[in-house]
């Protein structure tokens, strides 16, 4: 067992808002931390509070340069979870600088995190080898990473890796040739030469690469090289990682409604304050929330600060970037998994040096090293995509609030159906609240109706009711679009042998294989395992007896094709598109009218604007109403409202139809009445009576092992020895096998810890876990404020 040290963490009360905040950061699969926790407790009495970690004690001197030879603490960019002491190099060191240092016989990369720990005698200190050509991590960024790591019991290097996931950060600036207008005039002009010079005259402050200039002018590269030889175009070397285009902050946006103007004015005041504040921007679908918060973006950039807009899906970035370019005359920088490695490196450097003023990205964009972050917008803040469930677990919505409190920035949480935690924070005055109650222009909210499936005469094996089918037919006659929504990917969720009853399951998980008929494969949605569709039952060998059970989007598409053979259909599901670019193109084509009927999963509910869409039909509105998830009702309500909101966003009125076997269920009734506030109040009352978040705090504990009994035995031991948790009044529920008990070949056992809002939950869990030794093949996952209980 390697020697451990005191864990670097702080009490939850140190976070903005103190222990009352719900759903804040996240948990992590703590591969080797339990042993470190156990050994660290041998160095201090069990009741003693953890000593302040080195990065916290160093905070006042973050921006003071370390003198040559001074002892500094270096955080390695690897798995080693501790600061290492070195001597500052001859030219001194800036806090946050990326450096190369010796460790044993090799050289490693690390970050100057603060003063040294004093663990190594002065005579044994080794000097920093060299300072690397990368922008240093600023003090607020280091503060954010440190506090997030401490709050979530996460090793600090794991958190820092989220902020350094760009290639070639330490390799120095690469150079390339760029072209701009030259001083000479030439006599003989051609049409191609004229076009090149016209592009350069229209953009006198810009430099272009050879490919960019040739593309904009519509000429071959030889034309540009000929102009260079004659002095009409200048060729020069410039850094490859160049700044992004400057946005025109004086450009006027669309005309705002009175409600929008009031909301925009309040957000502009928040930007001018240059201090931390969080606002819940709640507006019905189609109310123009985007145009309102773009006014806050403009004001933030006028203040000389940077802005970040988070979107829940890559598919949304295309349409949103087009709106930004229309508003500001130039595109914003974008960050998501579909970017090239070159663009990731460029954006990382430009956010650190101020060369990118507005960034639009997925949840991981929150970990970019902004020079002066003044605004974070979390669009569709209720969306579950903001919670990362693999690797380092975090909720980008809540981490945005944490980072903004450190950066003295404004946060805007925008949604038509905010999560209950955000709604509650606004109710008690922790967040400001702005409301947009009506759609802009001539558009009105759609009428919402329930289709009582108990009364429908529907053929066996079909899923579209006659009532909904007639509504779709009317839209086809009027050349309008219809949306059919079902929240299941693939063709069918279960494949059953009608001879022996065997259900095709994943060999690595306790989950059924989902048929994806378009790809002719079976797929596990837990681990990604795929298999060809068998001809015979793998259990009894019977051929021709395998039958799909239940609908998915592909099966629904098959039914729609039989009902409406002449209609143009489009299926929107994340697993049907090989790249973010192809998905964006498909959505743009649908918005332009390329499909009559759109069939989709929850991907279609996330902010898309299809002007011709006037009918939204939900195939199974009851699907998410029941189960062990305490947020089931809230999520169903939000999803149904979001899907309904896709209809009637232009001039033509919209209609939403919910197929349900339970039309009198309280959630369905709240949707039909449009009673958002009534629903949230009822849901909050139910949570309060049950003592559930946001009126308490939860931590999910998962033990996993290749041996099911080993995981259960350790979970039972932990449940029986819970004194540190009992001292803060926390309850331990379980253990029990997880609902999906085996994933990727590992058996999973869950416990749930519940504590009062003000209880020091993290410190108690750390002390609790410190009591136990965990074999190398047994993994402990601690998820603070879990969003999923699977």
């Amino acid at each position: 067992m390697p020697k451990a040290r005191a864990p670097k963490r702080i009490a939850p009360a140190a976070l903005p808002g103190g222990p009352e905040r719900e759903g804040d950061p996240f948990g992590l699969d703590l591969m080797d931390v339990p042993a470190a926790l156990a050994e660290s407790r041998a160095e201090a009495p069990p009741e003693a509070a953890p000593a302040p970690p080195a990065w916290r004690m160093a905070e006042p001197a973050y921006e003071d340069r370390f003198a040559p030879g001074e002892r500094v603490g270096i955080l390695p960019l690897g798995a080693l979870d501790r600061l290492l002491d070195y001597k500052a190099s001859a030219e001194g060191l800036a806090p946050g600088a990326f450096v190369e240092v010796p460790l044993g016989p090799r050289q490693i990369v690390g970050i100057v995190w603060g003063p040294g720990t004093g663990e190594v005698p002065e005579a044994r200190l080794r000097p920093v080898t060299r300072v690397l050509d990368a922008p240093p991590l600023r003090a607020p960024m280091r503060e954010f990473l440190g506090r997030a790591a401490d709050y979530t019991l996460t090793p600090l290097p794991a958190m820092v890796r989220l902020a350094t996931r760009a290639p070639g950060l330490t390799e120095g600036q690469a150079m390339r040739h760029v072209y701009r207008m030259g001083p000479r005039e030439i006599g003989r002009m051609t049409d191609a030469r004229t076009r090149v010079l016209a592009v350069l005259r229209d953009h006198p402050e810009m430099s272009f690469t050879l490919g960019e200039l040739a593309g904009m002018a519509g000429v071959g590269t030889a034309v540009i090289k000929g102009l260079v030889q004659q002095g009409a175009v200048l060729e020069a070397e410039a850094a490859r990682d160049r700044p992004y285009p400057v946005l025109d902050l004086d450009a006027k946006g669309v005309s705002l409604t009175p409600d929008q103007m009031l909301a925009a004015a309040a957000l502009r005041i928040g930007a001018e304050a240059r201090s931390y504040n969080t606002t819940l921007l709640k507006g019905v679908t189609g109310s123009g929330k985007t145009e309102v918060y773009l006014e806050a973006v403009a004001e933030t950039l006028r203040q000389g600060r940077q802005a970040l807009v988070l979107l829940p899906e890559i598919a949304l970035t295309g349409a949103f970037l087009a709106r930004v370019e229309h508003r500001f005359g130039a595109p914003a920088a974008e960050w998501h998994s579909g970017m090239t490695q070159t663009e990731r490196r460029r954006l990382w450097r430009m956010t650190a040096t101020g060369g990118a003023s507005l960034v639009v990205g997925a949840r991981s964009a929150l970990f970019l090293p902004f020079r002066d972050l003044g605004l974070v917008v979390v669009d569709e803040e209720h969306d579950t995509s903001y919670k990362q469930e693999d690797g380092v677990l975090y909720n980008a919505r809540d981490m945005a609030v944490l980072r903004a409190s450190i950066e003295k920035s404004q946060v805007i949480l925008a949604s038509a159906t905010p999560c209950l935690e955000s709604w509650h924070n606004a109710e008690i005055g922790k967040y400001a609240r702005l409301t947009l109650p009506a759609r802009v222009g001539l558009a009105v909210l759609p009428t919402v109706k329930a289709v009582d499936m108990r009364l429908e005469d529907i053929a066996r094996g079909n899923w579209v009711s006659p009532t909904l089918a007639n509504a779709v037919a009317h839209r086809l006659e009027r050349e309008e679009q219809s949306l059919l929504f079902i929240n299941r990917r693939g063709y069918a969720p279960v494949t059953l042998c009608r001879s022996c009853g065997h259900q095709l399951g994943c060999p690595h998980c306790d989950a059924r294989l989902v048929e994806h008929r378009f790809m002719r494969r079976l797929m596990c949605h837990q681990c990604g395992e795929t298999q060809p569709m068998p001809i015979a039952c793998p259990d009894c060998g019977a051929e021709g007896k395998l039958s799909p059970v239940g609908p998915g989007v592909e099966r629904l598409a098959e039914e729609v094709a039989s009902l409406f053979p002449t209609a143009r259909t489009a299926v929107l599901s994340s697993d049907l598109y090989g790249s973010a670019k192809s998905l964006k193109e498909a959505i743009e084509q649908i918005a332009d009218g390329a499909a009559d009927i759109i069939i989709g999963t929850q991907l279609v509910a996330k902010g898309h604007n299809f002007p011709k869409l006037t009918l939204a039909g939900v195939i199974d509105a009851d699907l998410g109403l029941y189960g062990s998830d305490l947020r089931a009702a809230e999520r169903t309500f939000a999803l149904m409202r979001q899907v309904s909101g896709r209809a009637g966003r232009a001039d033509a009125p919209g209609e939403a139809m919910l197929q349900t076997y339970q039309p009198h269920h309280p959630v369905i009734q709240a949707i039909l009445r449009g009673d958002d506030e009534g629903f949230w109040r009822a849901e909050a009352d139910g949570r309060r009576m049950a003592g559930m978040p946001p009126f308490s705090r939860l931590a999910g504990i998962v033990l996993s092992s290749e041996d099911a009994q080993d995981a259960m035995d350790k979970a039972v031991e932990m449940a029986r020895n819970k004194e540190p948790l009992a001292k803060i009044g926390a309850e331990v529920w379980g253990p029990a096998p997880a609902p999906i008990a085996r994933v990727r070949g590992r058996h999973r056992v869950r416990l749930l810890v519940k504590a009062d809002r003000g209880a020091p939950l993290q410190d108690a869990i750390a002390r609790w876990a410190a009591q136990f030794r965990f074999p190398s093949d047994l993994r402990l996952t601690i998820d603070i404020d879990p969003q999923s209980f699977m």
Side-chain angles (χ1 to χ4, degrees):
M1 183 68 64
K3 179 174 174 57
R5 71 216 162 275
K8 300 179 176 65
R9 61 178 57 88
I10 57 175
L15 285 179
E20 300 82 22
R21 291 198 67 242
E22 161 59 21
D24 232 343
F26 46 100
L28 176 69
D29 190 356
L30 303 179
M31 301 287 289
D32 57 358
V33 170
L37 291 172
E39 294 193 11
S40 71
R41 291 300 181 252
E43 302 172 7
E47 299 304 317
W55 66 266
R56 286 288 286 174
M57 293 186 288
E59 182 181 352
Y62 264 147
E63 300 310 297
D64 294 337
R65 191 174 183 86
F66 291 102
E70 186 175 354
R71 182 189 293 266
V72 295
I74 305 297
L75 180 70
L77 292 183
L80 192 60
D81 181 20
R82 62 180 302 174
L83 296 182
L84 303 178
D85 284 6
Y86 291 90
K87 285 182 182 179
S89 46
E91 65 275 16
L93 285 175
F98 288 80
V99 295
E100 192 174 80
V101 295
L103 182 64
R106 59 195 178 97
Q107 296 286 325
I108 64 169
V109 174
I111 300 173
V112 181
W113 206 258
T117 64
E119 294 177 356
V120 179
E122 192 73 25
R124 293 178 53 195
L125 283 180
R126 302 171 73 179
V128 169
T129 304
R130 67 187 179 101
V131 180
L132 302 175
D133 183 15
L137 287 185
R138 296 170 51 252
M141 184 64 177
R142 302 197 304 278
E143 173 81 1
F144 166 61
L145 296 173
R147 293 178 69 176
D150 288 338
Y151 182 80
T152 58
L153 309 180
T154 300
L156 181 58
M159 196 66 66
V160 171
R161 281 196 291 275
L162 292 177
T164 54
R165 290 189 301 187
L169 294 183
T170 60
E171 295 174 359
Q173 274 279 31
M175 305 299 289
R176 64 177 174 179
H177 292 288
V178 295
Y179 300 83
R180 59 175 64 94
M181 180 65 75
R184 296 184 183 176
E185 295 185 3
I186 57 175
R188 192 175 70 85
M189 292 294 293
T190 64
D191 181 59
R193 289 179 171 181
T194 300
R195 293 201 301 273
V196 171
L197 296 179
V199 169
L200 295 175
R201 289 192 189 98
D202 291 343
H203 303 84
E205 298 179 355
M206 293 182 63
S207 297
F208 300 90
T209 65
L210 188 62
E212 288 171 341
L213 183 54
M216 291 185 69
V219 302
T221 56
V223 175
I224 300 170
K225 291 179 180 178
L227 290 171
V228 170
Q229 292 177 354
Q230 298 186 44
V233 173
L234 289 180
E235 181 183 65
E237 279 199 338
R240 181 177 296 275
D241 299 326
R242 66 197 188 283
Y244 288 84
V246 177
L247 304 186
D248 182 3
L249 304 182
D250 295 325
K252 291 186 177 180
V254 300
S255 298
L256 302 181
T257 67
D259 287 334
Q260 287 178 307
M261 287 190 285
L262 288 173
L267 294 178
R268 282 195 295 268
I269 292 172
E272 293 170 355
R274 301 179 70 91
S275 61
Y276 163 69
N277 61 88
T278 296
T279 299
L280 175 62
L281 177 61
K282 180 184 176 298
V284 298
T285 55
S287 60
K289 295 183 291 294
T290 301
E291 297 300 334
V292 169
Y293 69 64
L294 284 181
E295 292 296 312
V297 168
E299 185 57 41
T300 300
L301 302 189
R302 289 189 191 99
Q303 299 289 325
R305 308 189 76 186
Q306 294 164 295
L308 168 64
V309 178
L310 296 178
L311 301 175
E313 290 285 349
I314 294 175
L316 296 175
T317 57
F320 184 82
L321 288 170
R323 294 180 74 171
V324 169
E325 187 165 4
H326 180 74
R327 171 67 172 80
F328 296 112
E334 57 179 314
W335 176 275
H336 51 71
S337 59
M339 295 170 55
T340 66
Q341 295 298 303
T342 299
E343 280 301 304
R344 291 175 74 87
R345 167 198 161 108
R346 176 193 177 195
L347 181 52
W348 194 95
R349 283 181 170 270
M350 290 302 103
T351 54
T353 58
S357 58
L358 172 59
V359 177
V360 177
R363 62 189 177 221
S364 59
L366 189 64
F367 292 89
L368 287 167
F370 290 91
R371 185 193 65 180
D372 186 7
L373 183 60
L375 171 67
V376 183
V377 178
V378 186
D379 204 353
E380 307 289 351
E381 65 90 36
H382 65 279
D383 199 284
T384 55
S385 298
Y386 284 121
K387 179 66 183 283
Q388 179 164 300
E389 299 285 3
D390 290 322
V392 178
L393 312 181
Y394 65 92
N395 191 317
R397 177 196 69 220
D398 304 305
M399 297 301 286
V401 175
L402 172 59
R403 182 159 190 190
S405 70
I406 295 168
E407 299 269 6
K408 295 181 173 56
S409 308
Q410 179 175 210
V411 180
I412 300 173
L413 306 177
S415 176
T417 55
C419 69
L420 187 62
E421 285 82 2
S422 297
W423 179 86
H424 176 69
N425 282 335
E427 281 289 290
I428 63 176
K430 182 174 285 187
Y431 296 166
R433 175 170 171 169
L434 298 171
T435 302
L436 301 175
R439 287 186 163 180
V440 298
L442 299 176
V444 296
L445 289 172
T447 57
V448 184
K449 301 177 181 178
V451 177
D452 190 341
M453 297 297 286
R454 299 170 300 179
L455 307 177
E456 293 290 314
D457 183 15
I458 187 168
R460 182 181 178 87
N462 281 12
W463 312 99
V464 179
S465 66
T467 299
L468 180 57
N470 288 335
V472 172
H474 289 321
R475 268 63 184 189
L476 291 173
E477 291 173 2
R478 298 203 298 253
E479 297 185 346
E480 296 171 354
Q481 290 178 320
S482 300
L483 165 65
L484 298 180
F485 169 83
I486 184 167
N487 201 21
R488 282 199 183 113
R489 292 181 290 155
Y491 185 82
V494 176
T495 301
L496 175 75
C497 175
R498 289 182 282 109
S499 178
C500 68
H502 176 70
Q503 297 181 15
L504 300 187
C506 176
H508 312 296
C509 307
D510 288 342
R512 299 293 171 258
L513 289 171
V514 177
E515 180 182 353
H516 286 252
R517 188 161 293 187
F518 290 177
M519 297 185 290
R520 299 180 181 177
R521 306 284 293 181
L522 295 170
M523 180 181 295
C524 174
H525 289 174
Q526 294 299 318
C527 70
E529 166 79 11
T530 65
Q531 299 176 2
M533 186 68 191
I535 297 175
C537 172
D539 194 53
C540 70
E543 294 187 8
K545 296 294 185 178
L546 294 176
S547 177
V549 178
V553 286
E554 295 176 12
R555 192 172 191 181
L556 185 59
E558 188 177 85
E559 180 180 346
V560 167
S562 65
L563 290 172
F564 309 104
T566 61
R568 300 169 299 164
T569 61
V571 179
L572 283 180
S573 180
S574 58
D575 47 22
L576 296 179
Y577 294 88
S579 66
K581 181 180 179 181
S582 61
L583 180 56
K584 288 181 188 178
E585 290 173 350
I587 290 172
E588 290 171 359
Q589 291 169 3
I590 292 171
D592 289 338
D596 302 313
I597 303 174
I598 307 156
I599 303 160
T601 62
Q602 62 179 351
L603 180 67
V604 302
K606 300 184 179 184
H608 301 299
N609 184 27
F610 302 131
K612 297 182 179 180
L613 196 151
T614 59
L615 173 67
V618 178
I619 298 303
D620 189 355
D622 308 327
L623 184 61
L625 287 177
Y626 295 104
S628 59
D629 189 349
L630 71 91
R631 297 180 175 86
E634 174 190 353
R635 288 175 175 165
T636 299
F637 178 82
L639 188 57
M640 295 301 100
R641 291 285 281 162
Q642 292 285 339
V643 172
S644 301
R646 297 311 104 201
R649 295 171 69 95
D651 297 344
E655 182 180 23
M657 306 181 76
L658 313 182
Q659 293 190 164
T660 175
Y661 288 92
Q662 304 173 75
H664 300 297
H665 191 284
V667 173
I668 301 297
Q669 285 296 307
I671 296 169
L672 296 177
R673 293 193 305 267
D675 185 12
D676 294 17
E677 292 298 318
F679 170 79
W680 280 306
R681 292 190 190 284
E683 186 70 7
D685 289 343
R687 298 265 194 99
R688 185 184 290 107
M689 292 177 62
M692 286 286 116
F695 306 100
S696 66
R697 302 200 58 216
L698 298 178
I701 312 296
V702 176
L703 288 155
S704 67
S705 172
E706 294 181 359
D707 186 292
Q709 194 60 48
D710 286 350
M712 181 58 75
D713 289 346
K714 181 58 69 173
V716 170
E717 180 187 355
M718 294 183 72
R720 288 175 176 170
N721 296 276
K722 54 187 178 183
E723 289 80 6
L725 297 174
K727 288 178 180 178
I728 67 166
E731 302 174 30
V732 178
W733 297 346
I740 302 178
R742 187 170 58 103
V743 174
R744 297 182 179 92
R746 299 187 65 85
H747 298 270
R748 304 163 68 246
V749 177
R750 290 193 66 99
L751 301 103
L752 191 65
V753 179
K754 175 176 172 288
D756 292 339
R757 291 295 306 156
L761 182 60
Q762 283 88 341
D763 186 61
I765 288 178
R767 296 183 189 283
W768 178 47
Q771 303 175 99
F772 309 104
R773 297 284 181 174
F774 297 87
S776 59
D777 63 336
L778 189 66
R779 296 178 186 171
L780 171 68
T781 302
I782 301 176
D783 187 359
I784 303 296
D785 306 322
Q787 298 295 302
S788 171
F789 299 90
M790 300 303 289

